[in-house]
Amino acid sequence: MKQIALRAAEIARQLQERTGRSPRVGVVLGSGWGAAADVLSEQQIISYDALDGMPQCGVAGHAGNFVFGRAAGMDIVAVQGRFHLYEGHALDTVVLPVRILSELGVDTLILTNAAGGINTSYSPGDLMLLSDHINLTGCNPLVGVRASSAYPIFIDMTEIYDSGLRRSVAEHCGRLGINCHEGTYLQVVGPSYETPAEIRAFRAMGADAVGMSTVIEAICARYLKMRLLGISCITNMAAGVAAQRLSHGDVLKEMASVSENFCNLFKLIYSDISKFA
Ligand code: HPA
């Protein structure tokens, strides 16, 4: 297999050839977060199938497209279909979309996901802006990456997620009547959901929400010097926090019922980023 950085550069070149666009803002869409792409105008959709070297993705709710479009006067690219560790993908594949976006010129990245609420003050339908994370996957996407002076691998992780962006998104949520928290996201490998004992342990560790994505991508994005915004939609309370049993179908159903609200939120987020950029 080709070295990951080379592979990402080749795929980015194909995307640039087809679209002629060089977006500086990217968004990775988690389960049910399609609204972030729906609000883009002048859309051009490139399927993963159409790109040499791009793996196919296979989870319900993840389409496998790059959606290029515009909002707030900027070019934006949305990734519909991430690669998860629980599908058996290698770390290099999990971070491939992030590396491709970086090659395209993206320097502000929004990572979205569906998550289980650990913090008992959260409710399904709430958003959580990531202020920090815990990597409980047992792996790191920078293992084996050759450090350079421009891209060192011993990166500072004190403030992974941009506090300025987070503050303005929290204000927008307030205005739109969306319940929004700031908290720590913990990534597990999955695909089984957690046990109640694990959730109690994660709470003691300081986690507010749990999910099966995002952290590995955030580490890679940080290495690539991107400004990061992480948003979780709490689709369910984590195991043992409420009486319900967990199912992927229910997670998608909850996302479908709350995600209409997200169109307006994303218009405002893109407009904020355009002021930062
Ligand atoms: N656990 C892990 N991942 C999830 C959950 C959960 O409860 N809900 C949505 N993604």
Side-chain angles (χ1 to χ4, degrees), residues 233-276:
C233 178
I234 305 300
T235 49
N236 56 280
M237 295 314 289
V241 180
Q244 98 288 8
R245 296 291 170 102
L246 306 183
S247 84
H248 188 56
D250 289 344
V251 166
L252 294 180
K253 227 187 278 167
E254 174 64 24
M255 274 305 295
S257 79
V258 298
S259 62
E260 279 168 28
N261 273 340
F262 300 162
C263 288
N264 289 331
L265 178 62
F266 265 88
K267 285 182 199 156
L268 293 168
I269 292 176
Y270 293 141
S271 145
D272 272 346
I273 292 175
S274 72
K275 289 175 208 144
F276 275 95

Side-chain angles (χ1 to χ4, degrees), residues 26 38 40 45 52 65 73 75 93 99 108 124 131 147 158 164 180 194 199 206 216-217 226 231 248 264 269-270:
D38 294 344
L40 301 178
I45 299 175
D52 281 343
N65 294 312
D75 278 326
T93 305
R99 282 187 171 273
T108 299
S131 54
T158 313
C180 178
E194 303 70 36
I199 293 301
I216 294 295
E217 292 150 276
M226 291 167 158
I231 315 180
H248 188 56
N264 289 331
I269 292 176
Y270 293 141

Side-chain angles (χ1 to χ4, degrees), residues 73-237:
M74 305 179 296
D75 278 326
I76 293 171
V77 57
V79 177
Q80 259 174 354
R82 44 159 60 108
F83 302 107
H84 299 88
L85 289 171
Y86 63 73
E87 296 171 87
H89 289 299
L91 279 168
D92 277 358
T93 305
V94 174
V95 299
L96 183 62
V98 173
R99 282 187 171 273
I100 293 168
L101 296 194
S102 175
E103 288 287 342
L104 283 171
V106 167
D107 56 15
T108 299
L109 181 66
I110 306 170
L111 296 170
T112 63
N113 61 52
I118 295 178
N119 187 316
T120 52
S121 73
Y122 293 5
S123 301
D126 291 358
L127 295 189
M128 185 188 84
L129 304 175
L130 277 63
S131 54
D132 205 343
H133 73 216
I134 297 172
N135 179 6
L136 216 71
T137 65
C139 50
N140 188 304
L142 303 183
V143 169
V145 170
R146 194 171 319 135
S148 67
S149 51
Y151 290 97
I153 55 169
F154 297 107
I155 48 173
D156 180 76
M157 299 288 282
T158 313
E159 190 188 310
I160 313 155
Y161 302 95
D162 189 88
S163 55
L165 269 177
R166 200 159 73 227
R167 212 169 309 121
S168 61
V169 176
E171 284 168 16
H172 294 319
C173 286
R175 261 178 252 125
L176 293 170
I178 298 173
N179 266 344
C180 178
H181 314 271
E182 285 197 13
T184 297
Y185 176 92
L186 182 148
Q187 181 177 354
V188 290
V189 173
S192 55
Y193 288 111
E194 303 70 36
T195 64
E198 286 166 342
I199 293 301
R200 288 194 298 276
F202 297 168
R203 183 180 298 120
M205 291 166 78
D208 297 295
V210 58
M212 303 175 191
S213 69
T214 303
V215 168
I216 294 295
E217 292 150 276
I219 294 169
C220 181
R222 198 72 191 124
Y223 156 76
L224 295 168
K225 305 180 195 294
M226 291 167 158
R227 182 172 49 206
L228 275 180
L229 174 66
I231 315 180
S232 296
C233 178
I234 305 300
T235 49
N236 56 280
M237 295 314 289

